[in-house]
PDB file of all heavy atoms in Angstrom:
ATOM      1  N   SER Y   1      72.860 133.662 147.778  1.00  0.00           N
ATOM      2  CA  SER Y   1      71.729 133.060 147.097  1.00  0.00           C
ATOM      3  C   SER Y   1      72.071 132.901 145.681  1.00  0.00           C
ATOM      4  O   SER Y   1      72.835 133.673 145.171  1.00  0.00           O
ATOM      5  CB  SER Y   1      70.443 133.619 147.396  1.00  0.00           C
ATOM      6  OG  SER Y   1      70.444 134.937 146.964  1.00  0.00           O
ATOM      7  N   GLY Y   2      71.477 131.949 144.976  1.00  0.00           N
ATOM      8  CA  GLY Y   2      71.460 131.794 143.518  1.00  0.00           C
ATOM      9  C   GLY Y   2      72.266 130.760 143.011  1.00  0.00           C
ATOM     10  O   GLY Y   2      72.254 130.480 141.849  1.00  0.00           O
ATOM     11  N   GLY Y   3      73.025 130.095 143.821  1.00  0.00           N
ATOM     12  CA  GLY Y   3      73.932 128.957 143.449  1.00  0.00           C
ATOM     13  C   GLY Y   3      73.004 127.764 142.909  1.00  0.00           C
ATOM     14  O   GLY Y   3      71.955 127.523 143.535  1.00  0.00           O
ATOM     15  N   ARG Y   4      73.473 127.139 141.864  1.00  0.00           N
ATOM     16  CA  ARG Y   4      72.753 125.967 141.360  1.00  0.00           C
ATOM     17  C   ARG Y   4      73.644 125.255 140.332  1.00  0.00           C
ATOM     18  O   ARG Y   4      74.728 125.653 140.112  1.00  0.00           O
ATOM     19  CB  ARG Y   4      71.482 126.451 140.588  1.00  0.00           C
ATOM     20  CG  ARG Y   4      71.698 127.453 139.386  1.00  0.00           C
ATOM     21  CD  ARG Y   4      70.362 127.675 138.648  1.00  0.00           C
ATOM     22  NE  ARG Y   4      70.508 128.489 137.596  1.00  0.00           N
ATOM     23  CZ  ARG Y   4      70.876 128.146 136.253  1.00  0.00           C
ATOM     24  NH1 ARG Y   4      70.997 126.849 135.980  1.00  0.00           N
ATOM     25  NH2 ARG Y   4      70.939 129.075 135.312  1.00  0.00           N
ATOM     26  N   LEU Y   5      73.167 124.311 139.815  1.00  0.00           N
ATOM     27  CA  LEU Y   5      73.760 123.421 138.716  1.00  0.00           C
ATOM     28  C   LEU Y   5      73.634 124.172 137.365  1.00  0.00           C
ATOM     29  O   LEU Y   5      72.438 124.484 137.007  1.00  0.00           O
ATOM     30  CB  LEU Y   5      73.179 122.091 138.544  1.00  0.00           C
ATOM     31  CG  LEU Y   5      73.702 121.251 137.518  1.00  0.00           C
ATOM     32  CD1 LEU Y   5      75.114 120.886 137.573  1.00  0.00           C
ATOM     33  CD2 LEU Y   5      72.881 119.819 137.418  1.00  0.00           C
ATOM     34  N   VAL Y   6      74.729 124.404 136.597  1.00  0.00           N
ATOM     35  CA  VAL Y   6      74.612 124.951 135.313  1.00  0.00           C
ATOM     36  C   VAL Y   6      75.658 124.128 134.389  1.00  0.00           C
ATOM     37  O   VAL Y   6      76.564 123.415 134.890  1.00  0.00           O
ATOM     38  CB  VAL Y   6      75.128 126.510 135.317  1.00  0.00           C
ATOM     39  CG1 VAL Y   6      74.198 127.232 136.189  1.00  0.00           C
ATOM     40  CG2 VAL Y   6      76.490 126.707 135.854  1.00  0.00           C
ATOM     41  N   GLN Y   7      75.315 124.192 133.038  1.00  0.00           N
ATOM     42  CA  GLN Y   7      76.202 123.604 132.135  1.00  0.00           C
ATOM     43  C   GLN Y   7      77.362 124.370 131.817  1.00  0.00           C
ATOM     44  O   GLN Y   7      77.521 125.547 131.962  1.00  0.00           O
ATOM     45  CB  GLN Y   7      75.373 123.366 130.788  1.00  0.00           C
ATOM     46  CG  GLN Y   7      74.410 122.379 130.882  1.00  0.00           C
ATOM     47  CD  GLN Y   7      73.819 122.076 129.467  1.00  0.00           C
ATOM     48  OE1 GLN Y   7      73.569 123.144 128.723  1.00  0.00           O
ATOM     49  NE2 GLN Y   7      73.617 120.837 129.093  1.00  0.00           N
ATOM     50  N   GLY Y   8      78.511 123.640 131.530  1.00  0.00           N
ATOM     51  CA  GLY Y   8      79.790 124.329 131.148  1.00  0.00           C
ATOM     52  C   GLY Y   8      79.442 125.261 130.001  1.00  0.00           C
ATOM     53  O   GLY Y   8      78.626 124.900 129.035  1.00  0.00           O
ATOM     54  N   GLY Y   9      79.948 126.441 129.987  1.00  0.00           N
ATOM     55  CA  GLY Y   9      79.725 127.493 129.027  1.00  0.00           C
ATOM     56  C   GLY Y   9      78.616 128.346 129.346  1.00  0.00           C
ATOM     57  O   GLY Y   9      78.363 129.363 128.616  1.00  0.00           O
ATOM     58  N   GLY Y  10      77.752 128.011 130.367  1.00  0.00           N
ATOM     59  CA  GLY Y  10      76.597 128.779 130.740  1.00  0.00           C
ATOM     60  C   GLY Y  10      76.983 129.991 131.627  1.00  0.00           C
ATOM     61  O   GLY Y  10      78.090 130.226 131.883  1.00  0.00           O
ATOM     62  N   SER Y  11      75.937 130.595 132.026  1.00  0.00           N
ATOM     63  CA  SER Y  11      76.056 131.798 132.892  1.00  0.00           C
ATOM     64  C   SER Y  11      75.098 131.713 134.089  1.00  0.00           C
ATOM     65  O   SER Y  11      74.217 130.954 134.198  1.00  0.00           O
ATOM     66  CB  SER Y  11      75.659 133.066 132.111  1.00  0.00           C
ATOM     67  OG  SER Y  11      76.477 133.239 131.008  1.00  0.00           O
ATOM     68  N   LEU Y  12      75.656 132.484 135.154  1.00  0.00           N
ATOM     69  CA  LEU Y  12      74.901 132.437 136.245  1.00  0.00           C
ATOM     70  C   LEU Y  12      75.230 133.704 137.082  1.00  0.00           C
ATOM     71  O   LEU Y  12      76.299 134.076 137.229  1.00  0.00           O
ATOM     72  CB  LEU Y  12      75.211 131.207 137.184  1.00  0.00           C
ATOM     73  CG  LEU Y  12      74.529 131.000 138.502  1.00  0.00           C
ATOM     74  CD1 LEU Y  12      73.000 130.685 138.320  1.00  0.00           C
ATOM     75  CD2 LEU Y  12      75.151 129.863 139.308  1.00  0.00           C
ATOM     76  N   THR Y  13      74.259 134.267 137.869  1.00  0.00           N
ATOM     77  CA  THR Y  13      74.506 135.429 138.774  1.00  0.00           C
ATOM     78  C   THR Y  13      74.158 134.943 140.172  1.00  0.00           C
ATOM     79  O   THR Y  13      73.073 134.480 140.388  1.00  0.00           O
ATOM     80  CB  THR Y  13      73.795 136.550 138.379  1.00  0.00           C
ATOM     81  OG1 THR Y  13      74.130 136.971 137.173  1.00  0.00           O
ATOM     82  CG2 THR Y  13      74.011 137.801 139.387  1.00  0.00           C
ATOM     83  N   ILE Y  14      75.058 135.091 141.055  1.00  0.00           N
ATOM     84  CA  ILE Y  14      74.695 134.872 142.573  1.00  0.00           C
ATOM     85  C   ILE Y  14      74.775 136.288 143.384  1.00  0.00           C
ATOM     86  O   ILE Y  14      75.474 137.255 142.788  1.00  0.00           O
ATOM     87  CB  ILE Y  14      75.711 133.830 143.042  1.00  0.00           C
ATOM     88  CG1 ILE Y  14      77.053 134.340 142.949  1.00  0.00           C
ATOM     89  CG2 ILE Y  14      75.479 132.574 142.543  1.00  0.00           C
ATOM     90  CD1 ILE Y  14      78.081 133.454 143.688  1.00  0.00           C
ATOM     91  N   SER Y  15      74.040 136.218 144.388  1.00  0.00           N
ATOM     92  CA  SER Y  15      73.898 137.492 145.112  1.00  0.00           C
ATOM     93  C   SER Y  15      74.250 137.231 146.510  1.00  0.00           C
ATOM     94  O   SER Y  15      74.271 136.239 147.119  1.00  0.00           O
ATOM     95  CB  SER Y  15      72.386 137.906 145.016  1.00  0.00           C
ATOM     96  OG  SER Y  15      71.981 138.129 143.732  1.00  0.00           O
ATOM     97  N   CYS Y  16      74.523 138.335 147.272  1.00  0.00           N
ATOM     98  CA  CYS Y  16      74.833 138.493 148.612  1.00  0.00           C
ATOM     99  C   CYS Y  16      74.074 139.558 149.277  1.00  0.00           C
ATOM    100  O   CYS Y  16      74.230 140.839 148.717  1.00  0.00           O
ATOM    101  CB  CYS Y  16      76.230 138.582 148.896  1.00  0.00           C
ATOM    102  SG  CYS Y  16      76.789 138.948 150.615  1.00  0.00           S
ATOM    103  N   SER Y  17      73.174 139.355 150.198  1.00  0.00           N
ATOM    104  CA  SER Y  17      72.483 140.392 150.745  1.00  0.00           C
ATOM    105  C   SER Y  17      73.014 140.614 152.120  1.00  0.00           C
ATOM    106  O   SER Y  17      73.219 139.733 152.911  1.00  0.00           O
ATOM    107  CB  SER Y  17      70.936 139.941 150.954  1.00  0.00           C
ATOM    108  OG  SER Y  17      70.255 140.904 151.651  1.00  0.00           O
ATOM    109  N   ALA Y  18      73.255 141.808 152.420  1.00  0.00           N
ATOM    110  CA  ALA Y  18      73.981 142.242 153.655  1.00  0.00           C
ATOM    111  C   ALA Y  18      73.021 142.974 154.577  1.00  0.00           C
ATOM    112  O   ALA Y  18      72.269 143.829 154.081  1.00  0.00           O
ATOM    113  CB  ALA Y  18      75.146 143.099 153.326  1.00  0.00           C
ATOM    114  N   SER Y  19      73.098 142.832 155.892  1.00  0.00           N
ATOM    115  CA  SER Y  19      72.495 143.601 156.817  1.00  0.00           C
ATOM    116  C   SER Y  19      73.394 143.937 158.008  1.00  0.00           C
ATOM    117  O   SER Y  19      74.352 143.227 158.173  1.00  0.00           O
ATOM    118  CB  SER Y  19      71.134 142.824 157.337  1.00  0.00           C
ATOM    119  OG  SER Y  19      71.472 141.714 157.972  1.00  0.00           O
ATOM    120  N   GLY Y  20      73.080 144.940 158.703  1.00  0.00           N
ATOM    121  CA  GLY Y  20      73.843 145.259 159.743  1.00  0.00           C
ATOM    122  C   GLY Y  20      75.028 146.345 159.491  1.00  0.00           C
ATOM    123  O   GLY Y  20      75.737 146.716 160.437  1.00  0.00           O
ATOM    124  N   MET Y  21      75.311 146.442 158.174  1.00  0.00           N
ATOM    125  CA  MET Y  21      76.354 147.391 157.852  1.00  0.00           C
ATOM    126  C   MET Y  21      76.094 147.729 156.597  1.00  0.00           C
ATOM    127  O   MET Y  21      75.724 147.192 155.508  1.00  0.00           O
ATOM    128  CB  MET Y  21      77.774 146.656 157.877  1.00  0.00           C
ATOM    129  CG  MET Y  21      77.884 145.463 156.904  1.00  0.00           C
ATOM    130  SD  MET Y  21      79.528 144.818 156.809  1.00  0.00           S
ATOM    131  CE  MET Y  21      80.354 145.968 155.683  1.00  0.00           C
ATOM    132  N   PRO Y  22      76.397 149.118 156.095  1.00  0.00           N
ATOM    133  CA  PRO Y  22      76.323 149.584 154.769  1.00  0.00           C
ATOM    134  C   PRO Y  22      77.532 149.196 154.033  1.00  0.00           C
ATOM    135  O   PRO Y  22      78.608 148.945 154.501  1.00  0.00           O
ATOM    136  CB  PRO Y  22      76.156 151.193 154.984  1.00  0.00           C
ATOM    137  CG  PRO Y  22      76.964 151.403 156.182  1.00  0.00           C
ATOM    138  CD  PRO Y  22      76.746 150.112 157.087  1.00  0.00           C
ATOM    139  N   PHE Y  23      77.356 149.065 152.683  1.00  0.00           N
ATOM    140  CA  PHE Y  23      78.431 148.781 151.784  1.00  0.00           C
ATOM    141  C   PHE Y  23      79.328 149.977 151.614  1.00  0.00           C
ATOM    142  O   PHE Y  23      80.582 149.743 151.309  1.00  0.00           O
ATOM    143  CB  PHE Y  23      77.925 148.325 150.404  1.00  0.00           C
ATOM    144  CG  PHE Y  23      77.389 146.967 150.243  1.00  0.00           C
ATOM    145  CD1 PHE Y  23      77.241 146.160 151.428  1.00  0.00           C
ATOM    146  CD2 PHE Y  23      77.104 146.465 149.092  1.00  0.00           C
ATOM    147  CE1 PHE Y  23      76.876 144.871 151.332  1.00  0.00           C
ATOM    148  CE2 PHE Y  23      76.689 145.228 149.007  1.00  0.00           C
ATOM    149  CZ  PHE Y  23      76.534 144.420 150.098  1.00  0.00           C
ATOM    150  N   THR Y  24      78.863 151.207 151.798  1.00  0.00           N
ATOM    151  CA  THR Y  24      79.579 152.425 151.206  1.00  0.00           C
ATOM    152  C   THR Y  24      81.039 152.442 151.579  1.00  0.00           C
ATOM    153  O   THR Y  24      81.954 152.697 150.679  1.00  0.00           O
ATOM    154  CB  THR Y  24      78.834 153.531 151.632  1.00  0.00           C
ATOM    155  OG1 THR Y  24      77.529 153.531 151.220  1.00  0.00           O
ATOM    156  CG2 THR Y  24      79.524 154.815 151.001  1.00  0.00           C
ATOM    157  N   ASN Y  25      81.339 152.202 152.698  1.00  0.00           N
ATOM    158  CA  ASN Y  25      82.697 152.405 153.264  1.00  0.00           C
ATOM    159  C   ASN Y  25      83.467 151.060 153.535  1.00  0.00           C
ATOM    160  O   ASN Y  25      84.289 151.054 154.449  1.00  0.00           O
ATOM    161  CB  ASN Y  25      82.756 153.203 154.530  1.00  0.00           C
ATOM    162  CG  ASN Y  25      82.245 154.661 154.112  1.00  0.00           C
ATOM    163  OD1 ASN Y  25      82.630 155.314 153.208  1.00  0.00           O
ATOM    164  ND2 ASN Y  25      81.568 155.292 155.104  1.00  0.00           N
ATOM    165  N   HIS Y  26      83.088 150.123 152.805  1.00  0.00           N
ATOM    166  CA  HIS Y  26      83.799 148.851 153.006  1.00  0.00           C
ATOM    167  C   HIS Y  26      84.177 148.060 151.727  1.00  0.00           C
ATOM    168  O   HIS Y  26      83.769 148.434 150.647  1.00  0.00           O
ATOM    169  CB  HIS Y  26      82.784 147.892 153.760  1.00  0.00           C
ATOM    170  CG  HIS Y  26      82.316 148.438 155.098  1.00  0.00           C
ATOM    171  ND1 HIS Y  26      83.046 148.221 156.239  1.00  0.00           N
ATOM    172  CD2 HIS Y  26      81.247 149.206 155.476  1.00  0.00           C
ATOM    173  CE1 HIS Y  26      82.526 148.746 157.293  1.00  0.00           C
ATOM    174  NE2 HIS Y  26      81.383 149.401 156.731  1.00  0.00           N
ATOM    175  N   GLU Y  27      85.042 147.206 151.887  1.00  0.00           N
ATOM    176  CA  GLU Y  27      85.483 146.360 150.794  1.00  0.00           C
ATOM    177  C   GLU Y  27      84.587 145.037 150.834  1.00  0.00           C
ATOM    178  O   GLU Y  27      84.477 144.528 151.912  1.00  0.00           O
ATOM    179  CB  GLU Y  27      86.963 145.916 150.997  1.00  0.00           C
ATOM    180  CG  GLU Y  27      87.490 145.008 149.800  1.00  0.00           C
ATOM    181  CD  GLU Y  27      88.037 145.890 148.551  1.00  0.00           C
ATOM    182  OE1 GLU Y  27      88.269 147.081 148.752  1.00  0.00           O
ATOM    183  OE2 GLU Y  27      88.292 145.222 147.492  1.00  0.00           O
ATOM    184  N   MET Y  28      84.076 144.678 149.657  1.00  0.00           N
ATOM    185  CA  MET Y  28      83.250 143.450 149.578  1.00  0.00           C
ATOM    186  C   MET Y  28      83.911 142.532 148.710  1.00  0.00           C
ATOM    187  O   MET Y  28      84.446 142.914 147.575  1.00  0.00           O
ATOM    188  CB  MET Y  28      81.758 143.831 149.216  1.00  0.00           C
ATOM    189  CG  MET Y  28      81.081 144.844 149.976  1.00  0.00           C
ATOM    190  SD  MET Y  28      80.702 144.173 151.653  1.00  0.00           S
ATOM    191  CE  MET Y  28      79.572 142.815 151.163  1.00  0.00           C
ATOM    192  N   GLY Y  29      83.731 141.255 148.886  1.00  0.00           N
ATOM    193  CA  GLY Y  29      84.434 140.240 148.118  1.00  0.00           C
ATOM    194  C   GLY Y  29      83.708 139.024 147.995  1.00  0.00           C
ATOM    195  O   GLY Y  29      82.715 138.721 148.674  1.00  0.00           O
ATOM    196  N   TRP Y  30      84.120 138.239 146.916  1.00  0.00           N
ATOM    197  CA  TRP Y  30      83.735 136.903 146.654  1.00  0.00           C
ATOM    198  C   TRP Y  30      84.830 135.889 146.866  1.00  0.00           C
ATOM    199  O   TRP Y  30      85.915 136.262 146.244  1.00  0.00           O
ATOM    200  CB  TRP Y  30      82.924 136.671 145.341  1.00  0.00           C
ATOM    201  CG  TRP Y  30      81.691 137.241 145.260  1.00  0.00           C
ATOM    202  CD1 TRP Y  30      81.259 138.434 144.698  1.00  0.00           C
ATOM    203  CD2 TRP Y  30      80.429 136.668 145.773  1.00  0.00           C
ATOM    204  NE1 TRP Y  30      80.000 138.636 144.785  1.00  0.00           N
ATOM    205  CE2 TRP Y  30      79.336 137.652 145.317  1.00  0.00           C
ATOM    206  CE3 TRP Y  30      80.063 135.460 146.388  1.00  0.00           C
ATOM    207  CZ2 TRP Y  30      78.038 137.332 145.675  1.00  0.00           C
ATOM    208  CZ3 TRP Y  30      78.805 135.279 146.628  1.00  0.00           C
ATOM    209  CH2 TRP Y  30      77.847 136.221 146.232  1.00  0.00           C
ATOM    210  N   PHE Y  31      84.752 134.853 147.542  1.00  0.00           N
ATOM    211  CA  PHE Y  31      85.656 133.806 147.715  1.00  0.00           C
ATOM    212  C   PHE Y  31      85.008 132.480 147.177  1.00  0.00           C
ATOM    213  O   PHE Y  31      83.718 132.354 147.374  1.00  0.00           O
ATOM    214  CB  PHE Y  31      86.390 133.659 148.986  1.00  0.00           C
ATOM    215  CG  PHE Y  31      87.298 134.787 149.318  1.00  0.00           C
ATOM    216  CD1 PHE Y  31      86.820 136.072 149.653  1.00  0.00           C
ATOM    217  CD2 PHE Y  31      88.636 134.639 149.306  1.00  0.00           C
ATOM    218  CE1 PHE Y  31      87.545 137.141 149.976  1.00  0.00           C
ATOM    219  CE2 PHE Y  31      89.517 135.684 149.632  1.00  0.00           C
ATOM    220  CZ  PHE Y  31      88.934 136.961 149.925  1.00  0.00           C
ATOM    221  N   ARG Y  32      85.786 131.434 146.916  1.00  0.00           N
ATOM    222  CA  ARG Y  32      85.159 130.195 146.672  1.00  0.00           C
ATOM    223  C   ARG Y  32      86.031 129.087 147.337  1.00  0.00           C
ATOM    224  O   ARG Y  32      87.294 129.351 147.428  1.00  0.00           O
ATOM    225  CB  ARG Y  32      84.945 129.975 145.112  1.00  0.00           C
ATOM    226  CG  ARG Y  32      86.169 129.782 144.449  1.00  0.00           C
ATOM    227  CD  ARG Y  32      85.891 129.857 142.910  1.00  0.00           C
ATOM    228  NE  ARG Y  32      87.073 129.682 142.020  1.00  0.00           N
ATOM    229  CZ  ARG Y  32      87.021 129.692 140.692  1.00  0.00           C
ATOM    230  NH1 ARG Y  32      85.904 129.953 140.046  1.00  0.00           N
ATOM    231  NH2 ARG Y  32      88.137 129.526 139.962  1.00  0.00           N
ATOM    232  N   GLN Y  33      85.542 127.916 147.560  1.00  0.00           N
ATOM    233  CA  GLN Y  33      86.203 126.904 148.246  1.00  0.00           C
ATOM    234  C   GLN Y  33      85.683 125.623 147.800  1.00  0.00           C
ATOM    235  O   GLN Y  33      84.531 125.291 147.878  1.00  0.00           O
ATOM    236  CB  GLN Y  33      86.247 127.048 149.754  1.00  0.00           C
ATOM    237  CG  GLN Y  33      87.058 126.111 150.494  1.00  0.00           C
ATOM    238  CD  GLN Y  33      87.034 126.546 152.046  1.00  0.00           C
ATOM    239  OE1 GLN Y  33      86.250 127.192 152.493  1.00  0.00           O
ATOM    240  NE2 GLN Y  33      88.281 126.099 152.589  1.00  0.00           N
TER     241      GLN Y  33
END
């Protein structure tokens, strides 16, 4: 969640909510396409 239109030079934070597994013992990543 959190994606939107922003101006060049601006800032934005996007989030990923996970369920069904804890983060603790896993690698988490972001990719884009």
Side-chain angles (χ1 to χ4, degrees):
S1 62
R4 63 175 179 87
L5 173 67
V6 298
Q7 286 187 320
S11 299
L12 182 68
T13 298
I14 56 176
S15 302
C16 170
S17 178
S19 61
M21 59 173 284
F23 281 6
T24 305
N25 293 321
H26 300 274
E27 183 91 14
M28 304 293 299
W30 288 100
F31 290 76
R32 64 188 184 187
Q33 188 169 24

